[in-house]
Amino acid sequence: MSKRFFYVVFILLCLACNDQVKDSSQAKSNLIELQQKSVQNQDSTYYFLKKGVELIKLFPELSDSLRAENNYALGSYFYAKGVMDSAAHYSHKATDFSADSLQYDREIDYFYQSWYVYYSQGKYGDCISIVDKLESLLDDKDYNNQVFVNYLYENTYKANEDFKQAILYNKKQINAYSNIPNTVPSIREAVIFQSEYEYQLKNKKRAYKLLDSLLNIESRLNETTKYNLYNRYGIQTFDEKKFKSSLDFFIKSLSHLKKVPKNRTSADQKARLYYNISEAYFALKKYNKAYTYLDSAFYLNSKNGNETVLRSILQKQLELAVVTDKDPTKLSNSLDSIFNYQKDQYTKKYKEDLVALEKALKKENEILAEKKDIEIKSITRLFTLIIIVSILIILSIFFYRQRMYKVKKQSLQMQQRLLRSQMNPHFTFNTLYTIQNLIKDTPLKAKNYLIKFSRLLRLILENSTQNYVLFKDELKALKEYYALQQVRFPDKFEFYIQLNNLEEDSFIFIPPMLIQPMIENSIEHGFNGINYKGKLVLTLTQKKSFLECKIEDNGRGLQSESSDIKKSTSLELIHDYLKKSTGKGIQITDKDSLNTNETGVIVSFKIPFKLTKND
């Protein structure tokens, strides 16, 4: 009953919790779904990714790739929100799952994002640490990723104005490119950057020599490289105050930039170049031309929205207004432009924050409503489960008590039947008949026999009222029974008791009236009609939780007449009782089947025992 009850409760619990994740396979599917939803629903990105974090905590056996992807997505989310510390934390955490080598291409994205977040914060030491780890994972033949690693090193040292190290990694990048087919244009672009670093280190001759080496093969350069080459010439000559040469280089750079396919150029590139040209015209005091290119730069940048370039343009417009117009109109217009720019930036930020706040509030209300709905469903489900479990517990208690009542009733009936079997009319009649004969011939012997019989009756009656009796009391009843049988059958058999691992006065309790019916069977049936002295041996051995009982005689064995042993009511009762309490009933073995040239029967069974009467 108890097993069935707990099984039913388990099923109900499973049904009540059917919306929960049950195993790592389902957790994996759920996590992938949450990550996909975080991309598809931008307003709920953080909600879904946070659910992913909770799932990872519940199932730490989920793959490293899934855990890294969740951290990478959280890093992207916080970077977009401008929460840089959190962006750095999660982006870096995504790289922690990379082992001794790169297992899949996605890992490169994790390292780049972590590097870029640190780069945006100006934490160049952390940038170098990230790139060091990425480099340690690369294979010697992985030239593409070697180019990428050296590019990250180069830009980190460039931002930190360590141009010597920038040159070192620029050269390593060129060396890696040389092992990759069709990368000549990329090598030439890297040479232009190398010229920039040499110039910053005041190695002007070396810087120009590098640029000249490309200029000598101009016909083999693509339009993008020509644009960058002439732009670099223009920047360096402008720095040397060679404004006319600088302007010529910038104009040539612009002509090549216009030939580059639109999908490979940006408004930002053109805006910067227009700004450079306007500066050159300004330095040459050709202010109208400077105005023209500056307006173009402003127009292009208004589409792109690069704040750094825009600030430079507005600042240059103010300088032009101050220099060129004694009438304060243009100056006022420039100031208005700066004011409007700041106003637009503030309005834009205000609107973005307001929209984000409205979306966040809306999402928060949706989440609260969803959470409330889930809580109501959970409470309803829990309440239903409690009612069902309570009913099952009550039913279980009821059936358990009914069963215990039935078991007690059966136990009492068995004790009564055992008592009747021990005090069977045949034995009682024979005993009284023997006493009657003794009274005529030997009254004193009859008196002693009657005392023994009354003592046995008292012991049987006392033991029959208890479920468990002291071991020594049961042995005492057996000895009294043997003494009476010896009076009836003098010198017909001998009875021995052997105890192993226990003493006669051992303080243990056993069920009463289990051994005597076996002894009686051997005497009444086994020794009936034999012409030699019988021998009956009772061996009791204490095991861990039971007494091993063996009763052996040298009687006739299991002949046809002795089949009464198997049909004995008392033996059947004892057999059923022992099978329920120890799992094993009575085993009867005829010695004749053992090929030992001996006759008789061996009866063996296990008797449960307790250390206290109520244990």
Side-chain angles (χ1 to χ4, degrees):
M1 178 64 197
S2 60
K3 286 184 179 178
R4 199 178 310 138
F5 166 68
F6 284 115
Y7 176 74
V8 173
V9 172
F10 175 74
I11 294 296
L12 288 169
L13 287 171
C14 288
L15 291 173
C17 303
N18 60 2
D19 59 336
Q20 300 297 316
V21 179
K22 299 176 181 62
D23 53 43
S24 57
S25 178
Q26 185 182 345
K28 178 182 176 181
S29 300
N30 286 16
L31 183 56
I32 292 173
E33 184 180 355
L34 287 170
Q35 290 172 355
Q36 290 172 345
K37 285 182 178 179
S38 73
V39 176
Q40 296 163 359
N41 303 277
Q42 297 294 323
D43 296 338
S44 307
T45 297
Y46 183 70
Y47 171 78
F48 290 118
L49 293 178
K50 198 65 179 175
K51 285 284 185 183
V53 171
E54 294 172 4
L55 203 56
I56 288 169
K57 288 180 180 178
L58 288 174
F59 294 89
E61 67 271 21
L62 285 168
S63 67
D64 288 346
S65 60
L66 285 174
R67 298 163 75 187
E69 185 65 26
N70 213 69
N71 284 293
Y72 170 76
L74 280 167
S76 299
Y77 169 80
F78 283 115
Y79 181 80
K81 293 293 181 182
V83 186
M84 301 305 289
D85 288 342
S86 294
H89 169 74
Y90 286 106
S91 298
H92 196 141
K93 199 172 180 182
T95 67
D96 291 340
F97 294 96
S98 297
D100 299 329
S101 61
L102 294 177
Q103 302 298 316
Y104 45 94
D105 294 337
R106 185 64 165 166
E107 290 177 87
I108 294 292
D109 296 334
Y110 303 156
F111 281 93
Y112 177 70
Q113 178 170 285
S114 183
W115 174 86
Y116 190 76
V117 172
Y118 285 131
Y119 183 85
S120 302
Q121 294 177 289
K123 297 180 178 180
Y124 304 122
D126 291 322
C127 288
I128 296 299
S129 176
I130 286 292
V131 184
D132 283 344
K133 182 177 179 181
L134 176 57
E135 184 181 37
S136 70
L137 304 178
L138 298 184
D139 185 84
D140 292 340
K141 302 295 182 181
D142 190 359
Y143 299 117
N144 285 306
N145 283 326
Q146 284 179 18
V147 167
F148 180 67
V149 163
N150 287 307
Y151 167 82
L152 296 182
Y153 274 128
E154 178 187 342
N155 280 275
T156 304
Y157 285 116
K158 175 184 177 181
N160 200 35
E161 298 185 356
D162 187 347
F163 298 110
K164 285 186 179 181
Q165 288 293 95
I167 289 174
L168 173 66
Y169 287 102
N170 178 277
K171 290 180 178 179
K172 287 186 176 183
Q173 188 180 161
I174 292 172
N175 185 56
Y177 269 130
S178 65
N179 292 290
I180 305 172
N182 305 318
T183 56
V184 172
S186 299
I187 293 174
R188 290 166 181 169
E189 293 288 336
V191 170
I192 296 172
F193 284 110
Q194 192 178 141
S195 171
E196 178 186 350
Y197 308 144
E198 293 286 3
Y199 190 85
Q200 292 291 345
L201 292 170
K202 309 301 181 185
N203 299 326
K204 294 183 180 182
K205 287 185 179 181
R206 173 64 182 162
Y208 280 112
K209 186 176 180 180
L210 289 168
L211 295 180
D212 291 344
S213 67
L214 295 176
L215 191 60
N216 291 335
I217 56 169
E218 183 179 3
S219 61
R220 286 183 279 168
L221 302 180
N222 61 36
E223 295 300 330
T224 301
T225 304
K226 290 177 184 178
Y227 149 70
N228 284 319
L229 174 64
Y230 285 114
N231 190 48
R232 189 70 237 162
Y233 268 123
I235 292 171
Q236 290 179 186
T237 52
F238 185 89
D239 184 68
E240 295 173 5
K241 302 189 184 305
K242 298 175 182 179
F243 302 125
K244 180 64 174 67
S245 298
S246 175
L247 178 61
D248 292 339
F249 285 127
F250 285 139
I251 295 296
K252 284 184 179 181
S253 177
L254 180 60
S255 68
H256 291 296
L257 181 61
K258 288 180 178 179
K259 296 176 183 178
V260 176
K262 288 185 178 180
N263 62 337
R264 296 176 61 187
T265 61
S266 65
D268 180 58
Q269 286 177 306
K270 287 184 179 179
R272 289 174 185 272
L273 190 50
Y274 280 136
Y275 176 78
N276 289 343
I277 293 172
S278 72
E279 275 207 308
Y281 275 122
F282 183 85
L284 292 170
K285 298 182 180 181
K286 295 182 179 182
Y287 301 125
N288 289 333
K289 287 282 188 179
Y291 262 122
T292 300
Y293 282 97
L294 203 56
D295 285 344
S296 297
F298 181 82
Y299 172 74
L300 288 169
N301 193 78
S302 64
K303 293 182 178 180
N304 184 54
N306 189 304
E307 294 184 16
T308 303
V309 177
L310 185 57
R311 281 197 297 270
S312 299
I313 292 170
L314 292 173
Q315 185 179 356
K316 185 57 66 178
Q317 284 180 340
L318 184 60
E319 288 181 36
L320 277 168
V322 172
V323 171
T324 61
D325 206 342
K326 294 180 181 180
D327 185 347
T329 304
K330 286 190 177 181
L331 180 60
S332 176
N333 290 338
S334 295
L335 289 173
D336 286 343
S337 296
I338 295 173
F339 174 76
N340 289 332
Y341 163 72
Q342 291 175 332
K343 182 180 177 182
D344 290 343
Q345 290 298 108
Y346 174 77
T347 303
K348 181 181 176 183
K349 187 176 185 306
Y350 173 77
K351 287 182 178 179
E352 288 176 351
D353 290 347
L354 186 61
V355 170
L357 184 61
E358 289 175 351
K359 287 182 178 179
L361 184 60
K362 182 181 177 182
K363 190 61 190 176
E364 186 177 351
N365 289 334
E366 290 176 357
I367 293 171
L368 285 173
E370 184 180 348
K371 186 178 180 182
K372 187 176 180 181
D373 185 53
I374 291 171
E375 287 177 351
I376 291 171
K377 288 180 180 178
S378 298
I379 291 171
T380 304
R381 189 162 48 244
L382 181 62
F383 183 70
T384 305
L385 182 62
I386 289 172
I387 292 175
I388 294 172
V389 171
S390 299
I391 293 171
L392 287 173
I393 290 173
I394 293 170
L395 289 174
S396 177
I397 293 171
F398 173 77
F399 284 117
Y400 176 76
R401 294 186 66 177
Q402 286 290 97
R403 185 181 178 190
M404 290 304 297
Y405 171 76
K406 186 177 178 181
V407 169
K408 286 182 179 179
K409 184 178 178 182
Q410 289 176 345
S411 178
L412 181 60
Q413 289 173 343
M414 189 191 78
Q415 287 179 347
Q416 291 172 344
R417 292 168 74 181
L418 282 173
L419 176 61
R420 287 197 298 270
S421 70
Q422 285 185 303
M423 297 180 66
N424 64 71
H426 182 69
F427 170 70
T428 305
F429 175 78
N430 288 337
T431 303
L432 292 175
Y433 180 76
T434 302
I435 293 173
Q436 183 182 3
N437 289 334
L438 290 175
I439 289 173
K440 296 176 182 178
D441 302 327
T442 53
L444 183 59
K445 193 174 182 180
K447 179 182 176 183
N448 291 333
Y449 190 39
L450 184 60
I451 291 171
K452 289 179 184 290
F453 181 60
S454 63
R455 204 181 305 159
L456 176 62
L457 290 179
R458 187 181 74 249
L459 282 171
I460 291 173
L461 288 171
E462 286 177 354
N463 289 353
S464 67
T465 62
Q466 305 294 326
N467 291 327
Y468 281 82
V469 297
L470 269 172
F471 176 67
K472 66 178 182 179
D473 290 343
E474 185 69 5
L475 285 185
K476 185 178 180 182
L478 288 173
K479 289 177 180 179
E480 293 288 348
Y481 174 78
Y482 165 69
L484 284 174
Q485 293 285 33
Q486 282 287 71
V487 174
R488 285 184 60 207
F489 306 109
D491 298 324
K492 189 174 183 179
F493 68 91
E494 295 177 341
F495 178 57
Y496 301 96
I497 298 176
Q498 295 180 355
L499 302 178
N500 298 325
N501 298 333
L502 78 163
E503 302 293 333
E504 189 172 330
D505 59 351
S506 294
F507 199 75
I508 60 172
F509 295 83
I510 64 172
M513 302 180 291
L514 296 179
I515 302 173
Q516 185 268 338
M518 315 294 181
I519 302 294
E520 183 178 356
N521 261 319
S522 293
I523 296 171
E524 297 293 340
H525 302 287
F527 298 147
N528 185 24
I530 63 173
N531 55 7
Y532 55 89
K533 192 170 186 178
K535 182 180 180 182
L536 184 62
V537 180
L538 168 65
T539 305
L540 293 166
T541 305
Q542 184 175 346
K543 300 292 184 179
K544 189 173 182 180
S545 59
F546 58 86
L547 295 182
E548 192 176 76
C549 180
K550 185 171 76 171
I551 301 170
E552 183 178 356
D553 66 56
N554 63 345
R556 295 181 305 159
L558 295 178
Q559 298 177 7
S560 59
E561 187 182 340
S562 67
S563 60
D564 291 336
I565 295 176
K566 295 182 180 178
K567 296 178 183 178
S568 169
T569 302
S570 60
L571 261 65
E572 288 178 2
L573 288 171
I574 295 170
H575 176 80
D576 292 340
Y577 172 77
L578 292 176
K579 197 163 187 179
K580 288 179 180 178
S581 57
T582 67
K584 195 173 183 181
I586 300 171
Q587 290 182 310
I588 302 174
T589 306
D590 190 352
K591 288 184 179 180
D592 190 52
S593 65
L594 302 177
N595 299 321
T596 57
N597 296 323
E598 295 182 5
T599 59
V601 172
I602 299 175
V603 179
S604 59
F605 52 91
K606 296 177 181 179
I607 302 175
F609 73 83
K610 295 184 178 182
L611 299 177
T612 65
K613 186 182 291 188
N614 300 314
D615 190 6

